[in-house]
Each structure stands twice: as structure tokens, then as C-alpha cells.
Amino acid sequence: MKCPKCQKLVPDRSRCVECGFPFYVQLDEAAVAHLATHPGGESVRLPSGRYISIPTDHNLEPTIMPLTRAQKNKHLLIALASLAALFVAMLIVGYLIKLGDFGFILAFVGILGLAAGWMLVAHLLDFFNGVAEVYIDRLIETQRYRFKHQQSKAHYYGYFEQLGRVNISANDHYAAIPGALYRLSYGKASQRLLDMVQVDGSF
């Protein structure tokens, strides 16, 4: 793994063998205040009531690693879903053009089709490239949030020391351990979070 502090490749341990950076800490108020202080960052109130300043950008260098079978399957599944969405969008656009309807609906469906096409290309590129960008960072806290205009859908965020706010899955939210280090794998082209795995803290 790559130490998030000194950026050197080190074996999985409870702390970095190069700089002594701990890979797991019990987060108290002082630790959170120390870990998440970023001048000029975005001020966020966490579900626990604590306020932190998370970075708007990060300087972590990713490690390039081969995709796992599960990650390849995820890319392929999203690409197939995007292809289906693109096909449906093209059918609707063709039907609307045939009817002579060039209004808002046509533009909206066209934009959705372009988005589906971009996702298709990006995930196919990631699938055939066969590698992921991997970061190691410490989780501070997670959040479950519903937007006022999307009450039926919950969004899940993880707040990390260096990466800031990251969109995560519901499973990751409920299984997350604040204070632990996580390995986050992203597709290079799609920049989609593929998985979030806790770093082994054993000696």
C-alpha cells in the first residue's frame, strides 16, 4: 500500500514503517480537529455535530493497480446498462423527430442519450485498460443525506482526511469504521468509485 503521509510504498501494518504514520486511530474531538483542518477548505457539519474543514482538492498520488474480477464486472455491467439507456434514448429521439417534435422533451432525451454514451465509452475504456487508480486515506465519518427535491432517494458520503467528501454506497456507509484507513479504487476514465476496502491493520 502507499502511505497517505509520506507517499512511500510500504507493507500493510498498523503504522507506516517509513514515517510511523498510524493506519488506525480512535477519533476523538482533538483528532478530528487535527486531521480535518484545511485552510480555505469547505466547512461541513458532520452528522455527529462536529464541524470540519474538508479539502476542495487533494494532492494524493494514486497507485495504479490491475482491476479485480469484481471491478471488471462492475465496469461491464455499467457499460451494458448505459448501452441499453442509449438505445432507448435513440429510439425516443427518432420517434420525436418523426413526429416533428423539436421541443424540450427532444432536447432533454438527447442530453440523457449523450450522458449514457459518455458513460458507455468511459466504462468500456476502463474495462479494456484493466487498471484502477487506488488511493489510501483515513475515514473521518460517513453521512446519509436526502435532498429536499429527492426525498425518495438517499445519498451516502464518506468524509476523508485528504480526499474530502466522496460518494459511497449504502453498504460502505453502514460498514464504515471512522478512524480506519481505506483503499479506494477508481476507474481511470470514468472516475467512478469501484470499491472501498478497509486496509489491513494487522502486524
Side-chain angles (χ1 to χ4, degrees), residues 14-198:
S14 61
R15 62 179 56 245
C16 177
V17 295
E18 294 287 339
C19 68
F21 180 76
F23 293 158
Y24 178 80
V25 295
Q26 188 68 38
L27 291 182
D28 55 18
E29 297 297 328
V32 170
H34 170 70
L35 290 174
T37 301
H38 293 271
E42 177 187 356
S43 180
V44 173
R45 184 178 186 272
L46 298 178
S48 62
R50 297 179 296 204
Y51 282 89
I52 63 171
S53 178
I54 62 174
T56 54
D57 200 3
H58 67 84
N59 57 2
L60 290 181
E61 291 294 330
T63 301
I64 306 301
M65 297 182 64
L67 292 173
T68 64
R69 182 179 296 274
Q71 291 170 347
K72 287 183 177 180
N73 290 341
K74 190 169 188 176
H75 278 309
L76 190 58
L77 182 62
I78 296 175
L80 291 175
S82 300
L83 178 61
L86 178 61
F87 178 73
V88 172
M90 291 176 64
L91 288 179
I92 295 174
V93 167
Y95 178 73
L96 291 175
I97 291 176
K98 186 177 180 180
L99 292 179
D101 185 351
F102 298 96
F104 170 77
I105 297 178
L106 177 62
F108 179 73
V109 174
I111 292 173
L112 290 181
L114 289 175
W118 177 86
M119 288 184 63
L120 171 64
V121 172
H123 284 282
L124 284 179
L125 284 174
D126 285 335
F127 177 80
F128 288 111
N129 283 339
V131 295
E133 293 183 338
V134 179
Y135 298 92
I136 303 291
D137 201 4
R138 189 185 311 284
L139 177 67
I140 298 173
E141 197 165 315
T142 62
Q143 180 183 27
R144 182 175 181 267
Y145 186 80
R146 292 182 187 272
F147 292 101
K148 291 182 178 179
H149 61 283
Q150 285 184 321
Q151 289 296 316
S152 61
K153 183 179 180 181
H155 297 263
Y156 300 91
Y157 301 110
Y159 293 92
F160 291 85
E161 181 184 351
Q162 300 294 329
L163 295 174
R165 181 167 53 201
V166 174
N167 287 298
I168 62 176
S169 69
N171 290 338
D172 290 334
H173 164 72
Y174 290 112
I177 302 175
L181 282 187
Y182 281 87
R183 180 183 290 115
L184 295 93
S185 301
Y186 286 85
K188 291 191 67 176
S190 63
Q191 286 301 299
R192 184 185 184 92
L193 179 63
L194 300 173
D195 55 36
M196 169 180 153
V197 180
Q198 186 180 354

